[in-house]
Amino acid sequence: MHQLHRKKYVEGTVKEVHDPRFKQLVSNNAKLERLASGCLWAEGPVYRADVDMFIWSDIPNNRMLCWRAGQVSVFRQPSNYTNGHTLDVYGRLVSCEHGGRRVTRTEADGSITVLADTYNGKRLNSPNDVVVKSDGSVWFTDPSYGILSDYEGYQSEMEQPGCFVYRLEPTTGHLQIVADDFVKPNGLAFSVDESRLYIADSGYSHDENAPHHVRWFKVEDDHLSAGGVFADIHPGVPDGLRVDVQDNVWISAADGVHCYSSEGNLLGKILVPEVAANLSFGGRRGNQMFITATTSVYAMLLGVRGAR
């Protein structure tokens, strides 16, 4: 564990306004603070309010780190090349593991429960990001990033016929495919009332003819129905995303974090000096945004709180 010696704020312009509404979300006085650096690819941010702790993954270094009261320490190493994290309805940590090709839950005593690692008797690809609905169901994406090479996992052949989005029933453990037409499904988030599910497709990262957009779907109990493209993201690809209490959608991209209204209008951007991988809301009031971006982790206080 080490103490950060001083707050390090990013110099220069840190926001880009595309709609006047963005000025209420990100104050002109808001500062982007670098909390930590030294990662190879920072991902999977999640905030635990019960202990005022921010946790994230450093995937290639096979570790999870945490920030608490100005201190950075190792949360878990090895981490089985974890990527995305979320909390379930009981506040337990739910994680996507590239190395284990599985979704797990960390129990109160620190033990790990496997929630899903196979579908139809075959191993998953490399679960990437995960959200938990208020009914306890676990929804996650399963692209192949973690098995493409040994950099973020273990190079392996795909056993599934594609890269799918899954829903895990909390009581029976039944796993079902809810979307099967993505190239590389990535970050995902529910709208405030859970009537919509937003899912990123970052296929463009490995194929210039593949998508770099976020799609939306109507949530029908245990399945999804027709939606459409919510936003094309450039530069780069959409990766992680979150929703605030006003139903604005915040999406990570190559130049920072893009904010869209629920109608799909670009409101503005938080500009980050590194490629942003993911983001999460947290802090005592829920209005602090944590951003994982390549080698570093950043934070900014906003004028809006994150959704549950």
Side-chain angles (χ1 to χ4, degrees), residues 126 147 157 179 296:
S126 56
I147 57 175
E157 295 296 322
S296 305

Side-chain angles (χ1 to χ4, degrees), residues 219-265:
V219 180
E220 304 278 4
D221 295 323
D222 63 351
H223 65 279
L224 303 177
S225 62
V229 173
F230 176 72
D232 278 301
I233 303 301
H234 56 83
V237 299
D239 199 330
L241 56 145
R242 294 291 189 275
V243 174
D244 66 31
V245 294
Q246 297 178 16
D247 253 337
N248 300 309
V249 184
W250 301 76
I251 306 165
S252 64
D255 57 348
V257 176
H258 299 188
C259 178
Y260 285 80
S261 70
S262 58
E263 296 82 20
N265 299 315

